[in-house]
Short mmCIF file of all heavy atoms in Angstrom, two decimals:
data_model
loop_
_atom_site.label_atom_id
_atom_site.label_comp_id
_atom_site.label_asym_id
_atom_site.label_seq_id
_atom_site.Cartn_x
_atom_site.Cartn_y
_atom_site.Cartn_z
N PHE Y 66 6.85 8.03 -15.75
CA PHE Y 66 7.87 7.90 -16.79
C PHE Y 66 9.09 8.74 -16.39
O PHE Y 66 9.14 9.93 -16.67
CB PHE Y 66 7.33 8.40 -18.14
CG PHE Y 66 6.11 7.67 -18.61
CD1 PHE Y 66 4.85 8.16 -18.33
CD2 PHE Y 66 6.23 6.50 -19.33
CE1 PHE Y 66 3.71 7.49 -18.77
CE2 PHE Y 66 5.10 5.82 -19.77
CZ PHE Y 66 3.84 6.32 -19.48
N PRO Y 67 10.08 8.11 -15.73
CA PRO Y 67 11.29 8.86 -15.39
C PRO Y 67 12.15 9.10 -16.63
O PRO Y 67 11.98 8.43 -17.66
CB PRO Y 67 12.01 7.95 -14.39
CG PRO Y 67 11.46 6.59 -14.61
CD PRO Y 67 10.10 6.75 -15.24
N THR Y 68 13.08 10.04 -16.54
CA THR Y 68 14.01 10.28 -17.63
C THR Y 68 14.98 9.10 -17.75
O THR Y 68 15.13 8.31 -16.81
CB THR Y 68 14.82 11.57 -17.40
OG1 THR Y 68 15.63 11.39 -16.23
CG2 THR Y 68 13.92 12.79 -17.23
N ILE Y 69 15.65 8.99 -18.89
CA ILE Y 69 16.63 7.92 -19.09
C ILE Y 69 17.71 8.00 -18.01
O ILE Y 69 18.09 6.98 -17.42
CB ILE Y 69 17.26 8.02 -20.50
CG1 ILE Y 69 16.22 7.77 -21.58
CG2 ILE Y 69 18.44 7.06 -20.64
CD1 ILE Y 69 15.67 6.36 -21.62
N GLU Y 70 18.18 9.21 -17.74
CA GLU Y 70 19.24 9.36 -16.73
C GLU Y 70 18.77 8.89 -15.36
O GLU Y 70 19.49 8.18 -14.65
CB GLU Y 70 19.68 10.82 -16.68
CG GLU Y 70 20.96 11.03 -15.91
CD GLU Y 70 21.52 12.40 -16.15
OE1 GLU Y 70 21.12 13.35 -15.46
OE2 GLU Y 70 22.37 12.52 -17.05
N ASP Y 71 17.55 9.23 -15.00
CA ASP Y 71 17.01 8.78 -13.71
C ASP Y 71 16.84 7.26 -13.68
O ASP Y 71 17.09 6.61 -12.67
CB ASP Y 71 15.69 9.47 -13.39
CG ASP Y 71 15.86 10.95 -13.08
OD1 ASP Y 71 16.99 11.38 -12.78
OD2 ASP Y 71 14.85 11.69 -13.15
N LYS Y 72 16.42 6.68 -14.82
CA LYS Y 72 16.32 5.22 -14.89
C LYS Y 72 17.68 4.57 -14.68
O LYS Y 72 17.78 3.53 -14.01
CB LYS Y 72 15.76 4.79 -16.25
CG LYS Y 72 14.30 5.07 -16.45
CD LYS Y 72 13.88 4.63 -17.84
CE LYS Y 72 12.47 5.07 -18.17
NZ LYS Y 72 12.07 4.66 -19.52
N LEU Y 73 18.73 5.17 -15.23
CA LEU Y 73 20.08 4.62 -15.06
C LEU Y 73 20.50 4.63 -13.60
O LEU Y 73 21.04 3.64 -13.09
CB LEU Y 73 21.09 5.43 -15.88
CG LEU Y 73 21.02 5.27 -17.38
CD1 LEU Y 73 21.92 6.30 -18.07
CD2 LEU Y 73 21.41 3.87 -17.79
N VAL Y 74 20.24 5.73 -12.92
CA VAL Y 74 20.61 5.83 -11.51
C VAL Y 74 19.78 4.85 -10.68
O VAL Y 74 20.30 4.15 -9.81
CB VAL Y 74 20.44 7.28 -11.00
CG1 VAL Y 74 20.63 7.37 -9.50
CG2 VAL Y 74 21.43 8.20 -11.73
N GLN Y 75 18.49 4.75 -10.96
CA GLN Y 75 17.63 3.81 -10.25
C GLN Y 75 18.10 2.37 -10.45
O GLN Y 75 18.15 1.58 -9.51
CB GLN Y 75 16.18 3.96 -10.73
CG GLN Y 75 15.52 5.25 -10.33
CD GLN Y 75 14.21 5.48 -11.05
OE1 GLN Y 75 13.68 4.60 -11.73
NE2 GLN Y 75 13.66 6.68 -10.91
N ARG Y 76 18.44 2.04 -11.69
CA ARG Y 76 18.90 0.68 -12.02
C ARG Y 76 20.22 0.38 -11.30
O ARG Y 76 20.41 -0.71 -10.77
CB ARG Y 76 19.05 0.56 -13.54
CG ARG Y 76 19.16 -0.79 -14.09
CD ARG Y 76 17.85 -1.57 -13.94
NE ARG Y 76 18.21 -2.86 -13.40
CZ ARG Y 76 17.68 -3.43 -12.34
NH1 ARG Y 76 16.69 -2.88 -11.70
NH2 ARG Y 76 18.09 -4.58 -11.89
N GLY Y 77 21.13 1.36 -11.29
CA GLY Y 77 22.41 1.17 -10.60
C GLY Y 77 22.21 0.96 -9.11
O GLY Y 77 22.83 0.06 -8.51
N LEU Y 78 21.35 1.74 -8.50
CA LEU Y 78 21.06 1.58 -7.07
C LEU Y 78 20.40 0.23 -6.81
O LEU Y 78 20.71 -0.44 -5.83
CB LEU Y 78 20.18 2.72 -6.56
CG LEU Y 78 19.81 2.67 -5.09
CD1 LEU Y 78 21.05 2.66 -4.21
CD2 LEU Y 78 18.91 3.83 -4.73
N ALA Y 79 19.51 -0.18 -7.71
CA ALA Y 79 18.86 -1.49 -7.55
C ALA Y 79 19.90 -2.60 -7.57
O ALA Y 79 19.81 -3.55 -6.79
CB ALA Y 79 17.82 -1.70 -8.66
N HIS Y 80 20.91 -2.50 -8.44
CA HIS Y 80 21.97 -3.51 -8.48
C HIS Y 80 22.70 -3.59 -7.14
O HIS Y 80 22.98 -4.68 -6.64
CB HIS Y 80 22.99 -3.19 -9.58
CG HIS Y 80 22.57 -3.60 -10.95
ND1 HIS Y 80 22.57 -4.90 -11.38
CD2 HIS Y 80 22.12 -2.86 -11.99
CE1 HIS Y 80 22.15 -4.95 -12.62
NE2 HIS Y 80 21.86 -3.72 -13.02
N VAL Y 81 23.01 -2.44 -6.57
CA VAL Y 81 23.71 -2.41 -5.27
C VAL Y 81 22.84 -3.01 -4.18
O VAL Y 81 23.29 -3.86 -3.40
CB VAL Y 81 24.11 -0.96 -4.92
CG1 VAL Y 81 24.64 -0.87 -3.49
CG2 VAL Y 81 25.16 -0.44 -5.91
N LEU Y 82 21.58 -2.58 -4.10
CA LEU Y 82 20.69 -3.09 -3.06
C LEU Y 82 20.39 -4.57 -3.23
O LEU Y 82 20.24 -5.29 -2.24
CB LEU Y 82 19.39 -2.27 -3.02
CG LEU Y 82 19.55 -0.83 -2.54
CD1 LEU Y 82 18.22 -0.09 -2.63
CD2 LEU Y 82 20.13 -0.75 -1.14
N GLU Y 83 20.33 -5.05 -4.47
CA GLU Y 83 20.13 -6.48 -4.70
C GLU Y 83 21.28 -7.28 -4.08
O GLU Y 83 21.06 -8.32 -3.46
CB GLU Y 83 20.04 -6.79 -6.20
CG GLU Y 83 18.70 -6.42 -6.79
CD GLU Y 83 18.69 -6.47 -8.32
OE1 GLU Y 83 19.74 -6.76 -8.94
OE2 GLU Y 83 17.63 -6.19 -8.89
N ARG Y 84 22.50 -6.79 -4.24
CA ARG Y 84 23.65 -7.49 -3.66
C ARG Y 84 23.59 -7.49 -2.13
O ARG Y 84 23.98 -8.45 -1.49
CB ARG Y 84 24.95 -6.85 -4.15
CG ARG Y 84 25.24 -7.16 -5.60
CD ARG Y 84 26.60 -6.62 -6.03
NE ARG Y 84 26.69 -6.62 -7.46
CZ ARG Y 84 26.70 -5.53 -8.22
NH1 ARG Y 84 26.64 -4.34 -7.67
NH2 ARG Y 84 26.77 -5.62 -9.52
N VAL Y 85 23.12 -6.38 -1.58
CA VAL Y 85 23.05 -6.26 -0.12
C VAL Y 85 21.96 -7.18 0.45
O VAL Y 85 22.17 -7.85 1.46
CB VAL Y 85 22.78 -4.79 0.30
CG1 VAL Y 85 22.45 -4.68 1.77
CG2 VAL Y 85 23.97 -3.91 -0.06
N TYR Y 86 20.80 -7.22 -0.20
CA TYR Y 86 19.64 -7.90 0.38
C TYR Y 86 19.35 -9.29 -0.17
O TYR Y 86 18.54 -10.01 0.42
CB TYR Y 86 18.39 -7.02 0.24
CG TYR Y 86 18.39 -5.88 1.22
CD1 TYR Y 86 18.77 -4.60 0.82
CD2 TYR Y 86 18.07 -6.08 2.55
CE1 TYR Y 86 18.80 -3.56 1.72
CE2 TYR Y 86 18.10 -5.05 3.46
CZ TYR Y 86 18.46 -3.79 3.04
OH TYR Y 86 18.50 -2.77 3.93
N GLU Y 87 19.96 -9.70 -1.27
CA GLU Y 87 19.61 -10.98 -1.88
C GLU Y 87 19.73 -12.14 -0.89
O GLU Y 87 18.91 -13.05 -0.89
CB GLU Y 87 20.47 -11.23 -3.12
CG GLU Y 87 20.14 -12.51 -3.86
CD GLU Y 87 18.72 -12.60 -4.39
OE1 GLU Y 87 18.08 -11.56 -4.63
OE2 GLU Y 87 18.23 -13.73 -4.54
N GLU Y 88 20.76 -12.10 -0.03
CA GLU Y 88 20.96 -13.20 0.93
C GLU Y 88 19.83 -13.32 1.94
O GLU Y 88 19.68 -14.35 2.59
CB GLU Y 88 22.28 -13.02 1.65
CG GLU Y 88 22.32 -11.80 2.55
CD GLU Y 88 23.70 -11.52 3.13
OE1 GLU Y 88 24.69 -11.67 2.41
OE2 GLU Y 88 23.75 -11.16 4.32
N GLU Y 89 19.02 -12.28 2.08
CA GLU Y 89 17.91 -12.29 3.05
C GLU Y 89 16.71 -13.10 2.56
O GLU Y 89 15.87 -13.50 3.35
CB GLU Y 89 17.45 -10.87 3.34
CG GLU Y 89 18.51 -9.97 3.93
CD GLU Y 89 18.86 -10.33 5.35
OE1 GLU Y 89 17.97 -10.77 6.11
OE2 GLU Y 89 20.04 -10.18 5.71
N PHE Y 90 16.60 -13.29 1.25
CA PHE Y 90 15.40 -13.90 0.69
C PHE Y 90 15.46 -15.42 0.74
O PHE Y 90 16.51 -16.02 0.60
CB PHE Y 90 15.19 -13.45 -0.76
CG PHE Y 90 14.77 -12.02 -0.87
CD1 PHE Y 90 15.70 -11.04 -1.16
CD2 PHE Y 90 13.45 -11.66 -0.68
CE1 PHE Y 90 15.32 -9.72 -1.25
CE2 PHE Y 90 13.07 -10.34 -0.78
CZ PHE Y 90 14.00 -9.36 -1.06
N HIS Y 91 14.31 -16.02 0.92
CA HIS Y 91 14.18 -17.47 0.87
C HIS Y 91 14.18 -17.92 -0.59
O HIS Y 91 13.77 -17.16 -1.47
CB HIS Y 91 12.88 -17.91 1.55
CG HIS Y 91 12.84 -17.63 3.01
ND1 HIS Y 91 13.54 -18.39 3.92
CD2 HIS Y 91 12.21 -16.67 3.72
CE1 HIS Y 91 13.32 -17.91 5.13
NE2 HIS Y 91 12.53 -16.86 5.03
N PRO Y 92 14.58 -19.16 -0.84
CA PRO Y 92 14.57 -19.65 -2.23
C PRO Y 92 13.18 -19.64 -2.86
O PRO Y 92 13.05 -19.57 -4.07
CB PRO Y 92 15.08 -21.09 -2.10
CG PRO Y 92 15.76 -21.17 -0.79
CD PRO Y 92 15.13 -20.12 0.09
N PHE Y 93 12.14 -19.68 -2.04
CA PHE Y 93 10.78 -19.70 -2.57
C PHE Y 93 10.18 -18.30 -2.75
O PHE Y 93 8.99 -18.16 -3.04
CB PHE Y 93 9.86 -20.56 -1.70
CG PHE Y 93 9.90 -20.22 -0.24
CD1 PHE Y 93 9.19 -19.15 0.27
CD2 PHE Y 93 10.67 -20.98 0.63
CE1 PHE Y 93 9.23 -18.83 1.61
CE2 PHE Y 93 10.72 -20.68 1.98
CZ PHE Y 93 10.00 -19.60 2.47
N SER Y 94 10.99 -17.25 -2.58
CA SER Y 94 10.53 -15.89 -2.83
C SER Y 94 10.84 -15.52 -4.28
O SER Y 94 11.98 -15.68 -4.72
CB SER Y 94 11.24 -14.91 -1.89
OG SER Y 94 10.92 -15.17 -0.55
N PHE Y 95 9.86 -15.02 -5.00
CA PHE Y 95 10.04 -14.76 -6.42
C PHE Y 95 9.85 -13.30 -6.82
O PHE Y 95 10.32 -12.88 -7.86
CB PHE Y 95 9.09 -15.63 -7.24
CG PHE Y 95 9.48 -17.07 -7.24
CD1 PHE Y 95 9.00 -17.94 -6.27
CD2 PHE Y 95 10.35 -17.57 -8.19
CE1 PHE Y 95 9.36 -19.27 -6.25
CE2 PHE Y 95 10.73 -18.90 -8.19
CZ PHE Y 95 10.23 -19.75 -7.21
N GLY Y 96 9.13 -12.52 -6.04
CA GLY Y 96 8.78 -11.17 -6.46
C GLY Y 96 9.95 -10.22 -6.56
O GLY Y 96 10.72 -10.07 -5.62
N PHE Y 97 10.09 -9.58 -7.70
CA PHE Y 97 11.06 -8.51 -7.94
C PHE Y 97 12.49 -8.90 -7.60
O PHE Y 97 13.24 -8.14 -7.01
CB PHE Y 97 10.67 -7.24 -7.18
CG PHE Y 97 9.34 -6.69 -7.63
CD1 PHE Y 97 8.20 -6.92 -6.88
CD2 PHE Y 97 9.23 -5.99 -8.81
CE1 PHE Y 97 6.97 -6.43 -7.30
CE2 PHE Y 97 8.01 -5.50 -9.23
CZ PHE Y 97 6.87 -5.72 -8.47
N ARG Y 98 12.87 -10.12 -7.97
CA ARG Y 98 14.24 -10.59 -7.73
C ARG Y 98 14.90 -10.87 -9.06
O ARG Y 98 14.26 -11.31 -10.00
CB ARG Y 98 14.22 -11.84 -6.86
CG ARG Y 98 13.76 -11.53 -5.45
CD ARG Y 98 13.73 -12.74 -4.59
NE ARG Y 98 15.05 -13.31 -4.41
CZ ARG Y 98 15.25 -14.57 -4.04
NH1 ARG Y 98 14.24 -15.38 -3.84
NH2 ARG Y 98 16.47 -15.02 -3.87
N PRO Y 99 16.21 -10.63 -9.14
CA PRO Y 99 16.91 -10.86 -10.40
C PRO Y 99 16.84 -12.32 -10.83
O PRO Y 99 17.04 -13.23 -10.02
CB PRO Y 99 18.35 -10.44 -10.11
CG PRO Y 99 18.48 -10.39 -8.63
CD PRO Y 99 17.10 -10.18 -8.07
N GLY Y 100 16.50 -12.53 -12.09
CA GLY Y 100 16.45 -13.89 -12.62
C GLY Y 100 15.24 -14.70 -12.19
O GLY Y 100 15.19 -15.90 -12.40
N ARG Y 101 14.27 -14.05 -11.53
CA ARG Y 101 13.07 -14.75 -11.07
C ARG Y 101 11.85 -13.92 -11.44
O ARG Y 101 11.89 -12.70 -11.42
CB ARG Y 101 13.09 -14.94 -9.56
CG ARG Y 101 14.17 -15.86 -9.07
CD ARG Y 101 14.25 -15.81 -7.56
NE ARG Y 101 15.27 -16.73 -7.10
CZ ARG Y 101 15.00 -17.84 -6.43
NH1 ARG Y 101 13.76 -18.15 -6.12
NH2 ARG Y 101 15.98 -18.63 -6.05
N GLY Y 102 10.78 -14.60 -11.74
CA GLY Y 102 9.57 -13.88 -12.09
C GLY Y 102 8.34 -14.72 -11.80
O GLY Y 102 8.42 -15.83 -11.25
N CYS Y 103 7.19 -14.20 -12.21
CA CYS Y 103 5.94 -14.88 -11.91
C CYS Y 103 5.85 -16.24 -12.59
O CYS Y 103 5.29 -17.18 -12.02
CB CYS Y 103 4.75 -14.00 -12.27
SG CYS Y 103 4.66 -13.54 -14.01
N HIS Y 104 6.43 -16.39 -13.78
CA HIS Y 104 6.39 -17.70 -14.44
C HIS Y 104 7.21 -18.74 -13.66
O HIS Y 104 6.83 -19.90 -13.59
CB HIS Y 104 6.88 -17.58 -15.89
CG HIS Y 104 5.92 -16.82 -16.75
ND1 HIS Y 104 6.17 -15.54 -17.16
CD2 HIS Y 104 4.70 -17.14 -17.23
CE1 HIS Y 104 5.15 -15.11 -17.88
NE2 HIS Y 104 4.24 -16.06 -17.93
N ASP Y 105 8.33 -18.30 -13.09
CA ASP Y 105 9.13 -19.21 -12.26
C ASP Y 105 8.34 -19.64 -11.02
O ASP Y 105 8.38 -20.80 -10.62
CB ASP Y 105 10.44 -18.54 -11.82
CG ASP Y 105 11.29 -18.14 -13.01
OD1 ASP Y 105 11.52 -18.99 -13.88
OD2 ASP Y 105 11.71 -16.97 -13.06
N ALA Y 106 7.61 -18.69 -10.43
CA ALA Y 106 6.80 -19.01 -9.25
C ALA Y 106 5.71 -20.01 -9.61
O ALA Y 106 5.46 -20.96 -8.86
CB ALA Y 106 6.19 -17.73 -8.68
N LEU Y 107 5.08 -19.83 -10.76
CA LEU Y 107 4.02 -20.75 -11.19
C LEU Y 107 4.58 -22.15 -11.47
O LEU Y 107 3.95 -23.15 -11.14
CB LEU Y 107 3.30 -20.20 -12.41
CG LEU Y 107 2.43 -18.97 -12.16
CD1 LEU Y 107 1.94 -18.37 -13.47
CD2 LEU Y 107 1.28 -19.30 -11.23
N LYS Y 108 5.76 -22.23 -12.08
CA LYS Y 108 6.39 -23.53 -12.33
C LYS Y 108 6.68 -24.24 -11.01
O LYS Y 108 6.43 -25.44 -10.86
CB LYS Y 108 7.69 -23.36 -13.12
CG LYS Y 108 7.49 -23.04 -14.57
CD LYS Y 108 8.83 -22.83 -15.25
CE LYS Y 108 8.65 -22.16 -16.59
NZ LYS Y 108 9.91 -21.72 -17.17
N GLU Y 109 7.23 -23.49 -10.04
CA GLU Y 109 7.54 -24.07 -8.73
C GLU Y 109 6.27 -24.52 -8.03
O GLU Y 109 6.21 -25.60 -7.43
CB GLU Y 109 8.31 -23.07 -7.87
CG GLU Y 109 8.76 -23.58 -6.55
CD GLU Y 109 9.89 -24.60 -6.66
OE1 GLU Y 109 10.53 -24.70 -7.72
OE2 GLU Y 109 10.12 -25.31 -5.66
#
Side-chain angles (χ1 to χ4, degrees):
F66 301 94
T68 64
I69 295 293
E70 193 166 86
D71 291 342
K72 288 179 188 179
L73 289 171
V74 172
Q75 291 168 10
R76 196 68 228 128
L78 180 58
H80 280 285
V81 171
L82 292 177
E83 284 169 358
R84 288 186 195 110
V85 170
Y86 285 100
E87 183 60 25
E88 66 188 40
E89 300 289 326
F90 289 99
H91 295 284
F93 52 80
S94 297
F95 288 90
F97 298 101
R98 292 179 64 201
R101 293 171 178 249
C103 60
H104 291 105
D105 300 309
L107 290 171
K108 286 177 195 170
E109 184 71 16

